[in-house]
Amino acid sequence: MWYAITGIDVENSLEARKAARPAHVARLQALLDEGRLLLAGPFPAIDAEDPGPAGFDGSLIIAGFTDLESAREWAQADPYVAAGVYREVSVRPFRKTLP
């Protein structure tokens, strides 16, 4: 089943986000390689494709897991959590309808 993982950043997280990004992306790449990643990306802090120094204020990941507990465990082990980038992480079941 798909699960939507939403991380909300702490204020001024850009430098911590940059430092933890390679490890964060490596975990997403592993999901992609396993055919378990539907989409992933950050929320720009301003209305711009490249927010520059404004940075980002969160992320959305939609990925496949066997159950909600597995999705929560994966989300809590994210490098952005360990680096203090996220102040809050939520995990919810997601049903893809379109396209």
Side-chain angles (χ1 to χ4, degrees):
M1 178 164 189
W2 296 114
Y3 292 88
I5 301 167
T6 306
I8 305 300
D9 287 22
V10 298
E11 293 286 323
N12 302 311
S13 63
L14 186 58
E15 292 309 312
R17 185 178 261 275
K18 286 178 182 177
R21 187 173 189 278
H24 171 77
V25 171
R27 292 180 83 231
L28 294 173
Q29 185 64 52
L31 287 177
L32 183 62
D33 293 347
E34 295 167 6
R36 297 174 44 208
L37 184 64
L38 185 63
L39 65 86
F43 299 120
I46 60 173
D47 188 13
E49 181 73 22
D50 179 359
F56 302 92
D57 59 14
S59 304
L60 173 65
I61 299 163
I62 300 180
F65 294 91
T66 56
D67 55 45
L68 181 58
E69 187 57 33
S70 296
R72 285 181 175 152
E73 288 174 9
W74 187 91
Q76 287 304 314
D78 192 287
Y80 283 174
V81 172
V85 172
Y86 292 153
R87 67 174 165 83
E88 176 184 329
V89 177
S90 68
V91 181
R92 299 172 55 184
F94 177 80
R95 191 177 104 190
K96 183 178 184 274
T97 303
L98 293 171

